[in-house]
Amino acid sequence: MMSPAETTETSTLHPLTPLSAGEISSAVGIFRASRYATPTMRFVMVTLHEPIRSDVLNWPSTPVAREAFLMLLDNATGQTYEAIVDLSAGRISSWEHKPGVQPPVMLDEFFECEQTLREDPLFQEALRKRGIHDFSLLMIDPWSAGVYHSDDPAHAGRRLVRALTWVRGGEGENGYAHPVQGLMALFDLNEMKLIHLEDTGITPLPPEPGNYAPRFLDRFRPGTMPLEISQPEGPGFTVTDNLVEWQGWSFRVGFTPREGLVLHQITYDDGRKRPIIYRASLVDMIVPYGDPSQDHARKNAFDCGEYGIGMLANSLELGCDCLGVIRYFDAHLVNSRGEPVTIRNAVCLHEEDYGFLWKHVDWRTNETELRRSRRLVISFVSTVGNYEYGFFWYFYLDGTIQHEIKLTGIMNTGALPVGETRKYGTLVAPGLYAPIHQHIFSVRLHMQLDGEGNSVQEINTHAEPPGEANPYGNAYYAEATTLKTECARDLDLPSARYWKVINPNVTNALGTPTGYKIMLAENALPFVHPQSSVRRRAGYMDHHLWVTPYDPAEKYAVGDYPNQRSPDVADGLPAWIQQQRSIENTDIVCWVTLNSHHIPRPEDWPVMPCGYIGFHLKPVGFFHRNPAIHLPPAPSRHSVEVGRNGSSCGCHAN
Ligand code: CU
């Protein structure tokens, strides 16, 4: 990504610059020439081996080796390996066998599994029984298999997916309108063959198409007039290597196969360069479905840890995904055969108008002051089977940072006899329902607020009991409690709870520690049973905020290898916090859980208008007054008059 020079020359590249396609090729070449390579190895991922923070901060006075991290799967033995390749030295600096784990499902495996099943006689027979004869119309989605009490012990140790099938009504039609109910293919990806076909009975295919592409529509709604974004003098941001700078903000753009977009070293310059977050990314997500039927009960895809949300990123298009003056970044990844794959325009950077930021009318003098809000947007979008997820970071002029996830695409579906409904889902067409589910995300924030030594305070608001201190019954107050040891906390509406990261060693002009609060809006708690396999494997879903001391080994909320990991293996946040390490005035990581509770609506079919979930990081005492006071007033421009009395004024309207 960022297309640095196609060379392994390292002296000028910032240590957090993602690997170029050339560097990926070099890493693969160095590995292939080593004694560790076998002909049956697949490249699960090749990505930058990020140096530790102290090395990054000491660069460039102390040089940093440019290294690639490789994850490998040997199909012949089913064994997983990790390698670190020193690109400057042209050698392998670390080699590790990871026994008993399954790496993520690779995109190549997806396609090979689908093609193999399409041609499998047993699978074909099950489809013929259901009246399906044109196998070119099949859509076979290999879902990660998980680990369940009903699993056949004879399959232990195999590399498994459980494939679910849909069928298009015709070429290019939306296949998710026609789920092949009751058919689950347990498939071994190492041997690339079907090992068990579960057939729980036939339900007729739902009869109605669910198409949304223009060629299937008979009309378009009128009145969507051209709306153009014009930035005649260009955008207000600059991009140098992978460094973005805008209105005091700066950060470095990273991209990994597992997390997609990574923001490094988020900093605000108010005369001094003030670090806020060292590293921010989506680290995990899972969608537990609430339907106990065999088709849905074992859906448990970890889209980061079991597939790689970065691997599934879209190539974005100007005018469709993004409006305005756009700077795109390419993502350089690798396919399972070790060939570099570039996703063009994977990350989009632009500015957006955002209504007004602040306003006051001195109503005695009629003097009006208003400043418009704008935000810098950096985003990427991934397609995960039927769903699309857009991941957006926004930076505002008042020091606010926002992370927002847009949920769209097509809902996962099941078939019912026409005329029936189902308790565990919503009917969206005759014989077609969408099961209830939750999208549960984990966003990791490695903090660096005003430098080293951060703490987290929990702020609860209390009503003062009536009495001498509260004679009118109106009194209430906010109380801050510093979290001492690593822990998990939940939202609490009765106390309007939020959390604030502070630097107890740095005070603002008012004498209080500088801080940023973490504000979660719409959220939920999980409904899958605490002892269910999926919940035990994804324990981060139990709580809304986790705080741990930084440990370079703790990168993902569910641990490094969630694919097919037994719920009995303790890994990830719930296991880590058992250590009860101190989180006071130290190097800390905040893990934010976002739970989008999705009870499907008929309006979400056949393609879903965006749902949104996210959080804000808002400065609290980071500045000592409104940092947007010095914004220049926007020039008042009289645009096309559309008001009844022709009094439209660009300055006063939102
Ligand atoms: Cu949903």
Side-chain angles (χ1 to χ4, degrees):
M1 144 148 226
M2 299 302 304
S3 304
E6 300 291 300
T7 165
T8 55
E9 190 68 46
T10 62
S11 55
T12 58
L13 284 181
H14 187 274
L16 296 172
T17 304
L19 298 183
S20 68
E23 287 177 317
I24 288 174
S25 288
S26 297
V28 170
I30 293 163
F31 175 74
R32 281 234 168 90
S34 78
R35 65 195 167 92
Y36 303 111
T38 71
T40 46
M41 271 182 183
R42 286 198 198 235
F43 292 79
V44 183
M45 65 179 78
V46 179
T47 189
L48 177 72
H49 182 241
E50 287 175 25
I52 59 168
R53 183 158 97 181
S54 53
D55 287 357
V56 173
L57 300 181
N58 288 332
W59 182 88
S61 48
T62 309
V64 176
R66 197 131 173 94
E67 293 180 323
F69 170 83
L70 282 68
M71 190 187 289
L72 300 134
L73 170 70
D74 193 331
N75 280 147
T77 61
Q79 297 303 304
T80 303
Y81 302 89
E82 291 180 357
I84 295 170
V85 173
D86 184 331
L87 291 162
S88 322
R91 65 180 183 88
I92 292 176
S93 51
S94 163
W95 174 254
E96 199 180 342
H97 176 215
K98 307 293 282 187
V101 304
Q102 286 294 346
V105 179
M106 290 164 264
L107 217 45
D108 290 340
E109 291 178 314
F110 250 73
F111 293 118
E112 291 167 36
C113 169
E114 181 172 54
Q115 194 51 33
T116 307
L117 278 175
R118 213 188 282 277
E119 293 163 5
D120 184 277
L122 194 65
F123 191 66
Q124 289 184 347
E125 185 50 39
L127 290 161
R128 277 193 206 96
K129 272 199 316 201
R130 289 167 163 79
I132 299 163
H133 300 280
D134 184 351
F135 304 131
S136 73
L137 297 174
L138 297 179
M139 305 192 330
I140 304 163
D141 289 354
W143 282 70
S144 53
V147 177
Y148 295 93
H149 57 78
S150 57
D151 291 348
D152 184 342
H155 296 150
R158 298 181 85 150
R159 181 165 173 76
L160 301 174
V161 285
R162 190 175 287 105
L164 303 175
T165 303
W166 285 263
V167 57
R168 298 181 195 275
E171 206 183 313
E173 293 196 39
N174 174 12
Y176 294 109
H178 312 291
V180 180
Q181 191 81 9
L183 190 67
M184 287 140 286
L186 193 67
F187 192 92
D188 186 317
L189 291 172
N190 276 326
E191 297 180 37
M192 207 43 82
K193 70 171 191 194
L194 175 66
I195 56 172
H196 179 64
L197 194 61
E198 270 183 67
D199 192 338
T200 57
I202 297 171
T203 305
L205 290 178
E208 283 191 5
N211 292 318
Y212 52 86
R215 65 183 180 285
F216 299 112
L217 304 180
D218 57 3
R219 63 179 177 89
F220 292 108
R221 69 162 78 173
T224 53
M225 306 305 283
L227 193 159
E228 282 168 13
I229 310 294
S230 165
Q231 293 173 273
E233 294 172 42
F237 57 78
T238 60
V239 179
T240 317
D241 184 20
N242 69 335
L243 176 69
V244 175
E245 291 172 288
W246 180 79
Q247 286 291 317
W249 291 106
S250 68
F251 53 83
R252 288 191 176 271
V253 182
F255 197 94
T256 73
R258 181 162 176 166
E259 304 154 283
L261 176 63
V262 178
L263 299 185
H264 299 281
Q265 299 188 299
I266 298 171
T267 301
Y268 191 86
D269 190 336
D270 63 353
R272 312 171 274 156
K273 276 185 102 53
R274 303 175 67 185
I276 299 171
I277 303 175
Y278 180 72
R279 191 182 192 281
S281 67
L282 173 85
V283 287
D284 279 299
M285 57 171 290
I286 190 157
V287 187
Y289 285 81
D291 184 340
S293 75
Q294 288 295 318
D295 292 69
H296 303 287
R298 290 163 295 172
K299 284 177 173 170
N300 69 147
F302 293 79
D303 293 338
C304 294
E306 293 185 333
Y307 296 97
I309 202 83
M311 292 299 298
L312 305 174
N314 295 174
S315 194
L316 301 174
E317 265 183 62
L318 186 61
C320 299
D321 294 287
C322 330
L323 283 182
V325 178
I326 308 295
R327 170 68 154 83
Y328 287 112
F329 302 95
D330 298 341
H332 297 299
L333 304 164
V334 70
N335 68 18
S336 80
R337 303 299 171 196
E339 295 154 352
V341 172
T342 295
I343 302 176
R344 294 263 308 138
N345 299 350
V347 171
C348 167
L349 175 76
H350 69 282
E351 285 173 285
E352 270 179 9
D353 181 87
Y354 194 63
F356 65 73
L357 179 65
W358 60 262
K359 175 173 183 173
H360 182 61
V361 181
D362 184 328
W363 50 272
R364 291 186 175 80
T365 64
N366 220 19
E367 188 181 342
T368 298
E369 289 299 337
L370 176 150
R371 300 295 180 272
R372 288 201 70 79
S373 178
R374 65 170 69 185
R375 57 189 190 181
L376 184 70
V377 191
I378 185 159
S379 64
F380 77 108
V381 184
S382 289
T383 299
V384 187
N386 49 296
Y387 251 95
E388 264 74 15
Y389 296 100
F391 300 95
F392 290 71
W393 290 95
Y394 298 108
F395 296 86
Y396 293 85
L397 299 167
D398 67 345
T400 300
I401 302 170
Q402 181 187 0
H403 183 55
E404 184 172 72
I405 302 170
K406 300 186 186 186
L407 301 92
T408 179
I410 303 172
M411 291 185 298
N412 217 267
T413 49
L416 283 172
V418 171
E420 287 188 16
T421 57
R422 187 156 171 80
K423 177 181 175 183
Y424 305 101
T426 304
L427 197 71
V428 295
L432 185 72
Y433 76 105
I436 189 169
H437 60 277
Q438 298 184 310
H439 305 256
I440 310 174
F441 306 89
S442 176
V443 181
R444 180 180 178 276
L445 306 169
H446 183 185
M447 301 305 300
Q448 196 189 5
L449 187 75
D450 266 331
E452 305 308 309
N454 286 182
S455 298
V456 175
Q457 291 182 331
E458 180 169 296
I459 317 294
N460 291 295
T461 297
H462 304 290
E464 191 75 70
E468 213 169 294
N470 187 17
Y472 296 95
N474 67 304
Y476 58 93
Y477 61 98
E479 183 181 55
T481 309
T482 301
L483 305 177
K484 305 280 186 195
T485 53
E486 55 188 322
C487 56
R489 304 296 300 162
D490 290 317
L491 286 169
D492 182 59
L493 209 48
S495 67
R497 179 176 296 163
Y498 69 86
W499 299 277
K500 184 167 74 166
V501 180
I502 60 163
N503 190 324
N505 315 297
V506 180
T507 49
N508 58 31
L510 301 168
T512 49
T514 58
Y516 255 80
K517 69 173 171 178
I518 301 173
M519 298 165 61
L520 280 70
E522 183 180 312
N523 216 317
L525 285 164
F527 285 89
V528 288
H529 192 273
Q531 290 307 312
S532 64
S533 174
V534 61
R535 184 147 167 192
R536 290 173 65 208
R537 295 175 64 225
Y540 74 89
M541 72 171 72
D542 288 356
H543 300 287
H544 295 128
L545 180 80
W546 302 71
V547 186
T548 58
Y550 171 65
D551 178 338
E554 297 173 0
K555 294 197 281 285
Y556 311 108
V558 297
D560 288 354
Y561 288 95
N563 192 12
Q564 288 184 258
R565 192 182 60 217
S566 161
D568 297 330
V569 175
D571 201 352
L573 285 168
W576 300 335
I577 68 163
Q578 299 304 321
Q579 300 167 78
Q580 288 294 294
R581 296 164 293 184
S582 169
I583 49 168
E584 206 176 353
N585 197 5
T586 188
D587 189 359
I588 57 167
V589 179
C590 296
W591 312 72
V592 177
T593 305
L594 302 170
N595 186 328
S596 173
H597 186 67
H598 192 177
I599 305 169
R601 305 174 302 152
E603 290 86 345
D604 291 337
W605 183 257
V607 65
M608 186 181 144
C610 279
Y612 303 89
I613 193 159
F615 61 91
H616 287 77
L617 295 163
K618 233 176 170 38
V620 180
F622 187 77
F623 307 103
H624 70 284
R625 64 204 304 225
N626 181 352
I629 215 87
H630 298 291
L631 274 178
S636 178
R637 281 190 295 177
H638 290 270
S639 54
V640 181
E641 292 181 348
V642 293
R644 225 183 322 175
N645 54 9
S647 63
S648 76
C649 171
C651 194
H652 289 251
N654 178 2

